[in-house]
Amino acid sequence: SLVPPAVTLNAPADGLITSNKNITFNCSATDNLGLQNMTLYFNSSGSWAGNETQNLSGTSNSSNFTKILNDGFYRWNCLAYDTSNNIDWGNSNRTFTIDTTKPFVNLSQPVDNANFTIGNIPFNFTVIDLLDPVLTCNLTIDSTVQEANFDVNNDTLHTRNVTGLAQGFHLWNVTCVDTPGNFNTSATRGFNITDLAPNVTLLTANELNQSSRTINLQYNATDNNNVTSARLILDGAVNQ
């Protein structure tokens, strides 16, 4: 018979990204007369080569090849022979990636034990991963996630701005996860907000029109400590 067998690649799925080093390849084949064997090909040693051959029988059968592999990018296929020595490959090569390495998270700012007099603070850091171009991260302050599940480009300085932080000492860190699920948390740093600026609310109506040359301008000022003085600014200049 000149009719070749028909090979189907079943597993792993094409484009798989996994942190599992144990990979089971499954290939099936059919033939009009009879199957002889199936060979797994992939670039396990850096070059394309046959890795294992299993004998087959019947007109429809499959082979499982279980391998323990290192981190890396792999391309694979299966080659079947029938009893007439006709051959067939899977329709196209498949690929998968093994990544078991945790990303590394490096904090930049604020430096450890930094002091601030404002409650709005930028936090910046860099996450480095062997394979992923984009990772998912959380920013945690005082054991509470303040910014959750945001995307960060690999090996690129990233900044998150947090507002409304209270006076006092705070702890922060960043946790990032890659596509296969490897995650890592940075070192924990501290910072101190020693004081906060007062908050001023203008009470007099905006765009007020009146006939009197005397105007009563009212405001309310609050502060985490005491408000000791205030200045009135008119047309960009200090009036009182």
Side-chain angles (χ1 to χ4, degrees):
S1 173
L2 297 178
V3 179
V7 173
T8 302
L9 306 182
N10 299 312
D14 194 24
L16 173 71
I17 301 175
T18 180
S19 59
N20 188 355
K21 290 190 172 186
N22 294 282
I23 302 295
T24 296
F25 301 86
N26 178 268
C27 306
S28 59
T30 59
D31 189 73
N32 64 322
L33 293 180
L35 297 165
Q36 181 179 173
N37 59 51
M38 183 86 74
T39 301
L40 170 67
Y41 278 76
F42 71 112
N43 59 329
S44 60
S45 61
S47 60
W48 183 257
N51 181 268
E52 182 182 348
T53 300
Q54 294 181 4
N55 294 327
L56 296 178
S57 61
T59 58
S60 179
N61 211 330
S62 64
S63 292
N64 285 322
F65 306 92
T66 300
K67 306 295 176 182
I68 300 176
L69 303 173
N70 295 321
D71 284 16
F73 176 79
Y74 294 90
R75 181 177 291 104
W76 69 281
N77 207 325
C78 282
L79 175 66
Y81 276 79
D82 66 11
T83 54
S84 299
N85 285 328
N86 300 307
I87 66 170
D88 186 49
W89 294 89
N91 288 340
S92 61
N93 294 338
R94 284 189 175 184
T95 63
F96 64 93
T97 300
I98 297 176
D99 178 8
T100 64
T101 304
K102 296 178 180 180
F104 172 71
V105 185
N106 182 49
L107 304 182
S108 295
Q109 297 290 336
V111 298
D112 200 19
N113 295 317
N115 291 312
F116 296 92
T117 57
I118 57 173
N120 305 331
I121 297 176
F123 298 84
N124 55 59
F125 65 94
T126 303
V127 57
I128 300 172
D129 190 73
L130 292 180
L131 299 174
D132 269 15
V134 179
L135 297 93
T136 301
C137 299
N138 290 343
L139 169 63
T140 299
I141 301 176
D142 298 332
S143 300
T144 299
V145 175
Q146 293 287 335
E147 299 276 338
N149 298 326
F150 53 88
D151 290 340
V152 178
N153 291 330
N154 189 10
D155 200 13
T156 302
L157 187 66
H158 186 87
T159 300
R160 306 297 292 187
N161 292 298
V162 177
T163 63
L165 293 171
Q167 183 180 10
F169 185 76
H170 301 275
L171 295 172
W172 71 287
N173 58 43
V174 174
T175 299
C176 294
V177 60
D178 61 16
T179 299
N182 304 304
F183 68 92
N184 203 5
T185 300
S186 70
T188 297
R189 287 184 178 178
F191 64 94
N192 192 32
I193 300 177
T194 58
D195 195 11
L196 294 173
N199 182 56
V200 178
T201 303
L202 302 182
L203 303 178
T204 303
N206 188 29
E207 298 183 358
L208 176 67
N209 293 309
Q210 65 177 48
S211 58
S212 172
R213 294 173 60 88
T214 300
I215 185 170
N216 182 25
L217 299 176
Q218 295 182 318
Y219 70 95
N220 182 53
T222 58
D223 189 67
N224 57 304
N225 293 312
N226 294 320
V227 178
T228 57
S229 65
R231 293 180 179 180
L232 173 64
I233 309 297
L234 287 178
D235 296 330
V238 176
N239 183 269
Q240 292 185 27

